[in-house]
Amino acid sequence: MRFSLGKLTLPLYAVLAFIYLLIPIVYTFVFSFNNSLKTNLIWRGFTFDKWTNVCQREGVCEAFGNSVFIGIISTIFATGLGTMIAIALVRYRFKFRSSVNLLLFLPMATPEVVLGAGLASQFFNLGVQKGIWTIIIAHIMFCLSFVVVTVKARVASLDPALEEAGRDLYANPTQVFWKITFPLLLPGIASAALLSFALSFDDFIITNFNAGSDMTFPRYVYTAAARGVPAEANVIGCAVFALAILIVLATQINGEVKRRKLAKVH
Amino acid sequence: MAFAAFGSANAPAAGKPTRSGKVVIALLAPGLAYLGAFFLTPLFALIMVSLEVPDPNGGYAEYVPAFEIGNYFYVISEYLPHILRSFGYALAATVLALVISYPLAYFIGVKARPWPLLQKLMLTLVIAPFFISFLLRTLAWKQIFSNESWIVSSLHDIGLLAPTQYVVGTPFMVIFGLTYNFIPFMTLPLYTSLERLDLRYLEAGSDLYASPSKVFRKVTLPLSMPGIISGTLLTFIPIAGDYINASGDFLGSSSTSMIGNVIESNYLQINDYPSASALSVLLMGVILVLVSVYVKKSGTEDLL
Amino acid sequence: MAKEFVARGADLELKQIRKEFPGFTAIDNLDLHVPAGEFFALLGPSGCGKTTTLRLVAGLESPTKGKIFIGGKDITATKPHERPVNTVFQSYALFPHMTVLENVAFGLRQRKVADPLAKAKDALNLVQLSHLADRKPQQLSGGQQQRVALARALVNRPSLLLLDEPLGALDLKLRREMQTELKAIQMEVGLTFLHVTHDQEEAMDMADTVAVMNLGRIEQMGAPETLYDRPKTVFVSKFLGQSNLLVGDVTSTSANSISIDVAGNKISVPKNRAEKHKGKIAIGFRPEKATFSSKKPTATSAKNVIGPGEVLDIRFTGVSNQYLIEVPQLGNITVFAQNMTHFAPIEVGAKVWISWDVENSFGLSDLPAKNVKA
Ligand SMILES: Nc1ncnc2c1ncn2[C@@H]1O[C@H](COP(=O)(O)OP(=O)(O)OP(=O)(O)O)[C@@H](O)[C@H]1O
Ligand SMILES: [Mg+2]
């Protein structure tokens, strides 16, 4: 197909594709420096104000704080529960394996509106007041499967002989887990946790069905969208973006450095 | 990618199924109980609510348990356009995402192989949109294509758009937004399967089929099928249920409402829980049927 | 400092061990005794149950039936981390997240031995790797990793050291070097080594005692020379070196020897070198113990003769030639002869008689597969 059309077509195409992918990000960044008033629709000149005084705008920082809190708590639980399931799935043979796989697959194959409406109905039936904790319950639920997928890959690549070597060298099962299994799974668990946090932090649809009056950052943006989103929201979005990209780049560079070090030895 | 990860129902490498019963239960029980309580039971609750009828003695938004299958006929007849539109948009956006992603994934996964660091950087760029808030990036497109933007005024000037026509609020804009927002879900699985593609197959292919387009159809495409399958599923499903892009506050208008918008407004605004639930159950049902048919047809049954 | 590691090894005894996996019996009725301080090799083809045997001893697998004793103590039900046994794994299984030194110190730390790092350094000295103590295992070559694995096990001074094809991944040259080194270390520390391999040369070269394993049971056990000189079964005679086997009914018995008739040839074997003295038996001899000649030699009570046969093939291997000779009704016989001259003494197609000393014959307890029914 395309690789028949000259050597430059594909690289050029890739550049265009990346520009396309980056346009809204750049736009959001640029308008985080807009000296805007209430809304942030037209360019009114450059300013650092919105970055230095993010919290001046009512509700932005509170919503952000809620999102971080929800993200952290959900991530801790989803990562813990998901890691346990991942270990069980890879390391043990048991009867209901395929049913368990199906149960984990279904939440990923279910549209968010359905997940959100279902859980909301459940809370409604039980007479549970919606609030931060109902959001957290919802987030743990939809992050769980993603954690399992991520950690599972890591467990599968872990040589069982390492744990056996640990047992052979006088470590009891608990010590084997904490001294060998866990440190070796850690990179997988860490990326699962990051993924889980990112999913939770950015979720709007499920959150919206299960939130009370508490704002999260996406809910704040959604509510503000009708009348115009303030530049401070851009600031938060861009700061989170920058942090995430930094983490990703740091791990990649770290991995590359390690790879080169090894290459030098062999 | 994520879907395929569940695929290889890999029997444990050197699994030792000894006295493991208790350990397995201890490892699985908390997580599965959680999913049972907050995923399965809610689905069941959703089905129950979808069959409820208004409380004859109650007030607004009060319903009593019943077995009213009629709710389904009602929502189908009432919201058929929305249902069709959802799947139509989802289909269009998925195809677009596939067409845009494939060459990109091919470039990163195959052509850029000699430069692993570049590969990683490009992958970072692919997932970069994930890191900026979904809502903010959608709003950014709205501003870029807003009625006052230079893009739209240039389109007016050169006559591609009639003076009374705008971009935001049209099906085009909604499909554009949906495509953009879910493209990484398509590119990543494609990349994963293309990255594993053994280049020797391509060389062997050029020997046997000679023409590059034939090599592509006979070798590359079939070998990247797992990526295409999980990519299309990963994009199609969230798009079919999305209501942000099509919402009037974002890229759409009342004439682009999708099934997600109807569920949202019925549930959260007019509190017509049975209708919202019936639509949710329908959406879920259609998607499950599509997924299983699609998976069967394309021969990757080990997806589940 | 090597004295640090000198310890009395303990003996190992397996009694009537049976190990079943779902739908498959890997080990059946295995009896094995490894004397203390010995270098013991378990030799057998792939899949015969060697690794399974080691895993049973290490406690990583529990037997379906039977008991395991170390130093006279029944440890069948003991957990792996409570057994005085250490393993050098086939894949080394070095912990990738620890340095070489931490790897070696791991077992000492677990047992709360005083000054684990100093002892670990001594162990690294023993395997000549102290200069790489701070590296990560991935930064070592295969041979170095193998030595770290050895140090990591040795440092604990186990009563019994289990080695699962530790040299399997090394190239031939390094492998021979490591064999010498391993043997030297074993002599130095005096531990009991149970070494698993499917390389017969390695087993014969290193071990005091070799046990040949096949299909989950021990076929024969003894000093390498004994096993080679007097194999008792067809499997052992073929697995350790090459053998020519002749099958026939016992026709006469004298005070010291028995004879069989093979297609008109009388073949004898000393009584004390035959497992069976009656009925249909197989008699074998090694290719290098036979000679051939183009004139028929006279058979005596000390010499077996067969022939004439036709030379089918001559393979030049440097110091010697391998002659494949087809003897009608007896099949193909292999004879090795040193190349004493710069030309081959005979050519393909030549007619020759084959002879060997009765003393060098051996009588087996079973028959080759194709002869069992006939
Ligand atoms: N966990 C298991 N489940 C089922 N069968 C097994 C298991 N482990 C080993 N086996 C079977 O038991 C037999 C003996 O295996 P073992 O690993 O002991 O062989 P081995 O002699 O070490 O072979 P190799 O020289 O190839 O390492 C093999 O046929 C193997 O397939
Ligand atoms: Mg083995």
Side-chain angles (χ1 to χ4, degrees):
Chain A
M1 188 175 93
R2 312 218 167 226
F3 43 98
S4 63
L5 316 167
K7 274 198 154 36
L8 275 181
T9 321
L10 216 44
L12 211 67
Y13 176 84
V15 170
L16 286 178
F18 288 130
I19 292 177
Y20 161 65
L21 286 173
L22 294 181
I23 284 177
I25 300 173
V26 173
Y27 180 92
T28 309
F29 252 96
V30 170
F31 274 75
S32 74
F33 296 105
N34 187 12
N35 192 6
S36 59
L37 304 171
K38 249 198 143 96
T39 65
N40 192 12
L41 297 176
I42 30 176
W43 186 252
R44 290 180 193 275
F46 184 90
T47 175
F48 275 121
D49 268 11
K50 314 290 170 184
W51 281 81
T52 46
N53 301 318
V54 205
C55 291
Q56 300 263 299
R57 176 74 56 178
E58 202 191 320
V60 178
C61 284
E62 196 198 336
F64 173 73
N66 282 343
S67 277
V68 171
F69 175 76
I70 292 166
I72 290 176
I73 304 286
S74 319
T75 296
I76 292 173
F77 281 97
T79 309
L81 294 173
T83 302
M84 285 159 64
I85 294 180
I87 292 176
L89 278 177
V90 180
R91 277 305 161 77
Y92 297 95
R93 236 175 285 179
F94 49 90
K95 261 192 210 148
F96 306 106
R97 203 187 171 74
S98 51
S99 322
V100 171
N101 271 328
L102 183 63
L103 178 58
L104 290 165
F105 169 78
L106 276 179
M108 299 200 302
T110 308
E112 285 190 48
V113 258
V114 180
L115 292 176
L119 201 52
S121 302
Q122 166 107 328
F123 289 137
F124 185 79
N125 286 349
L126 298 176
V128 176
Q129 191 70 37
K130 292 195 274 193
I132 292 256
W133 287 98
T134 52
I135 301 178
I136 290 176
I137 287 175
H139 284 198
I140 297 173
M141 184 262 294
F142 78 80
C143 290
L144 192 56
S145 299
F146 289 94
V147 172
V148 175
V149 178
T150 317
V151 178
K152 215 175 125 184
R154 185 83 195 180
V155 183
S157 70
L158 180 67
D159 182 1
L162 293 172
E163 285 158 313
E164 293 181 351
R167 291 206 274 158
D168 185 64
L169 292 164
Y170 316 106
N172 65 35
T174 320
Q175 292 168 325
V176 168
F177 181 80
W178 288 113
K179 295 194 170 175
I180 294 158
T181 317
F182 183 73
L184 290 174
L185 291 185
L186 201 55
I189 296 176
S191 40
L194 283 177
L195 175 66
S196 175
F197 184 86
L199 287 172
S200 162
F201 186 86
D202 200 28
D203 179 74
F204 172 71
I205 297 181
I206 298 178
T207 310
N208 204 31
F209 274 91
N210 293 288
S213 55
D214 299 283
M215 274 295 157
T216 62
F217 182 63
R219 284 194 90 206
Y220 177 87
V221 176
Y222 187 81
T223 327
R227 37 187 172 79
V229 176
E232 285 81 355
N234 290 33
V235 171
I236 301 265
C238 293
V240 171
F241 173 84
L243 187 69
I245 289 287
L246 272 182
I247 293 176
V248 171
L249 286 181
T251 42
Q252 282 179 358
I253 290 172
N254 188 19
E256 184 66 12
V257 168
K258 268 194 190 153
R259 203 183 59 79
R260 296 219 169 149
K261 241 196 213 162
L262 285 187
K264 234 189 271 169
V265 176
H266 285 293
Chain B
M1 165 190 58
F3 283 60
F6 275 108
S8 49
N10 46 357
K16 281 129 219 109
T18 45
R19 59 179 175 78
S20 58
K22 272 186 204 157
V23 185
V24 172
I25 291 174
L27 287 172
L28 289 176
L32 296 188
Y34 195 96
L35 285 182
F38 299 114
F39 170 68
L40 282 185
T41 327
L43 283 187
F44 183 71
L46 205 58
I47 295 175
M48 297 314 289
V49 174
S50 74
L51 299 169
E52 285 182 355
V53 291
D55 187 347
N57 311 318
Y60 170 73
E62 284 180 21
Y63 300 89
V64 286
F67 201 75
E68 185 51 74
I69 297 283
N71 286 347
Y72 283 88
F73 296 116
Y74 168 75
V75 291
I76 291 178
S77 62
E78 184 75 14
Y79 299 114
L80 189 62
H82 302 84
I83 298 174
L84 293 180
R85 198 179 289 141
S86 290
F87 291 113
Y89 287 2
L91 186 66
T94 305
V95 170
L96 269 177
L98 178 61
V99 171
I100 297 175
S101 290
Y102 203 99
L104 184 61
Y106 187 87
F107 180 70
I108 305 176
V110 179
K111 292 286 163 188
R113 248 184 240 180
W115 307 282
L117 198 58
L118 180 71
Q119 251 183 332
K120 284 185 178 168
L121 287 178
M122 290 195 291
L123 277 181
T124 313
L125 286 180
V126 168
I127 54 170
F130 277 159
F131 296 135
I132 196 103
S133 158
F134 185 103
L135 300 174
L136 285 178
R137 64 187 192 241
T138 311
L139 281 177
W141 281 121
K142 183 185 182 177
Q143 304 309 330
I144 293 167
F145 284 101
S146 73
N147 298 353
E148 298 81 32
S149 69
W150 63 265
I151 295 190
V152 172
S153 39
S154 335
L155 286 175
H156 281 152
D157 290 348
I158 56 172
L160 267 178
L161 276 183
T164 50
Q165 279 183 319
Y166 295 99
V167 180
V168 172
T170 61
F172 162 81
M173 192 68 224
V174 176
I175 293 173
F176 179 93
L178 289 168
T179 308
Y180 174 82
N181 275 317
F182 294 97
I183 260 189
F185 284 117
M186 180 68 86
T187 315
L188 285 185
L190 283 178
Y191 162 80
T192 315
S193 64
L194 284 169
E195 194 257 332
R196 287 194 216 123
L197 186 75
D198 193 333
L199 290 180
R200 280 170 302 182
Y201 286 135
L202 296 188
E203 283 159 18
S206 338
D207 270 6
L208 292 171
Y209 306 115
S211 101
S213 73
K214 242 192 167 161
V215 173
F216 180 79
R217 268 186 295 124
K218 300 255 173 185
V219 185
T220 318
L221 202 58
L223 286 175
S224 56
M225 219 30 161
I228 296 179
I229 291 167
S230 51
T232 40
L233 289 179
L234 280 172
T235 35
F236 187 87
I237 294 170
I239 292 179
D242 182 76
Y243 67 76
I244 311 269
N245 288 277
S247 129
D249 287 337
F250 287 78
L251 305 180
S253 62
S254 57
S255 67
T256 62
S257 280
M258 293 167 67
I259 194 166
N261 300 81
V262 179
I263 295 174
E264 192 257 2
S265 65
N266 271 329
Y267 204 104
L268 294 175
Q269 282 151 38
I270 56 177
N271 297 351
D272 181 357
Y273 303 123
S275 294
S277 304
L279 276 172
S280 304
V281 173
L282 273 179
L283 176 62
M284 170 101 186
V286 171
I287 282 182
L288 283 186
V289 170
L290 283 181
V291 167
S292 42
V293 168
Y294 190 57
V295 166
K296 274 227 171 74
K297 281 246 156 129
S298 41
T300 314
E301 276 186 70
D302 55 1
L303 210 71
L304 293 189
Chain C
M1 98 227 47
K3 278 203 198 84
E4 284 287 312
F5 300 99
V6 176
R8 222 9 99 68
D11 68 327
L12 165 73
E13 189 156 13
L14 302 185
K15 278 192 179 153
Q16 292 286 306
I17 294 286
R18 185 181 167 83
K19 175 66 192 176
E20 289 168 10
F21 291 114
F24 183 79
T25 306
I27 291 183
D28 197 8
N29 266 334
L30 182 84
D31 281 299
L32 186 68
H33 181 247
V34 179
E38 218 177 70
F39 198 120
F40 191 97
L42 198 55
L43 176 67
S46 186
C48 72
K50 304 178 301 281
T51 299
T52 307
T53 307
L54 283 200
R55 294 173 59 83
L56 287 167
V57 176
L60 298 170
E61 211 82 72
S62 48
T64 314
K65 209 189 100 216
K67 296 220 168 298
I68 303 171
F69 299 85
I70 290 179
K73 240 176 76 186
D74 184 350
I75 53 140
T76 317
T78 313
K79 298 258 165 55
H81 62 275
E82 293 157 354
R83 297 193 184 195
V85 172
N86 286 114
T87 309
V88 177
F89 287 83
Q90 192 159 2
S91 56
Y92 312 142
L94 299 177
F95 306 129
H97 59 304
M98 300 180 192
T99 63
V100 166
L101 188 65
E102 283 162 353
N103 261 282
V104 179
F106 188 89
L108 299 171
R109 286 223 161 104
Q110 285 312 122
R111 287 187 307 153
K112 311 230 171 356
V113 172
D115 214 357
L117 287 184
K119 294 200 168 84
K121 273 185 191 140
D122 287 347
L124 281 176
N125 263 334
L126 184 70
V127 295
Q128 296 163 22
L129 278 182
S130 36
H131 59 293
L132 298 179
D134 294 327
R135 288 231 186 131
K136 288 278 175 73
Q138 308 90 289
Q139 298 170 302
L140 302 182
S141 72
Q144 292 167 336
Q145 290 185 19
Q146 194 272 324
R147 282 186 279 173
V148 176
L150 184 62
R152 185 177 73 173
L154 275 178
V155 74
N156 301 296
R157 283 182 272 165
S159 313
L160 176 63
L161 187 70
L162 307 174
L163 303 111
D164 191 358
E165 302 197 35
L167 310 178
L170 308 182
D171 63 47
L172 196 66
K173 185 167 164 288
L174 191 58
R175 195 172 173 143
R176 298 288 173 244
E177 273 173 41
M178 284 306 298
Q179 281 173 18
T180 321
E181 213 166 300
L182 204 56
K183 179 74 191 166
I185 289 174
Q186 193 263 340
M187 307 253 268
E188 200 173 334
V189 298
L191 297 176
T192 314
F193 274 38
L194 177 51
H195 180 112
V196 156
T197 176
H198 59 244
D199 178 342
Q200 44 143 325
E201 256 185 73
E202 185 177 303
M204 305 231 271
D205 179 42
M206 301 168 79
D208 302 314
T209 307
V210 175
V212 180
M213 198 170 177
N214 186 30
L215 299 174
R217 51 200 316 159
I218 303 288
E219 290 256 342
Q220 193 178 348
M221 199 168 110
E225 302 78 11
T226 319
L227 283 185
Y228 187 78
D229 181 50
R230 261 223 58 194
K232 290 182 177 171
T233 64
V234 174
F235 177 81
V236 177
S237 75
K238 299 272 187 193
F239 192 71
L240 280 180
Q242 292 188 38
S243 290
N244 295 305
L245 298 185
L246 302 166
V247 180
D249 286 308
V250 175
T251 49
S252 61
T253 314
S254 73
N256 299 326
S257 69
I258 55 173
S259 307
I260 60 168
D261 178 80
V262 189
N265 300 288
K266 185 185 167 201
I267 309 295
S268 304
V269 58
K271 251 186 179 166
N272 57 5
R273 289 176 60 86
E275 289 298 300
K276 267 168 55 182
H277 297 169
K278 275 197 299 259
K280 189 177 237 191
I281 65 171
I283 290 178
F285 61 97
R286 297 289 185 187
E288 74 279 7
K289 305 245 163 56
T291 55
F292 52 80
S293 54
S294 38
K295 276 192 220 118
K296 183 174 183 178
T298 36
T300 66
S301 61
K303 214 170 198 71
N304 288 320
V305 177
I306 51 175
E310 185 187 336
V311 177
L312 286 186
D313 183 34
I314 302 176
R315 287 173 67 193
F316 177 70
T317 62
V319 278
S320 67
N321 276 352
Q322 301 187 3
Y323 299 86
L324 187 66
I325 300 160
E326 184 184 23
V327 183
Q329 291 176 291
L330 294 186
N332 292 344
I333 303 288
T334 308
V335 175
F336 299 164
Q338 289 226 323
N339 290 326
M340 314 282 273
T341 52
H342 68 272
F343 53 89
I346 52 169
E347 284 169 4
V348 171
K351 273 214 162 6
V352 293
W353 280 263
I354 300 156
S355 63
W356 70 97
D357 287 352
V358 169
E359 271 304 303
N360 287 332
S361 308
F362 46 82
L364 303 176
S365 64
D366 54 350
L367 298 171
K370 61 176 185 232
N371 273 306
V372 171
K373 273 182 199 149

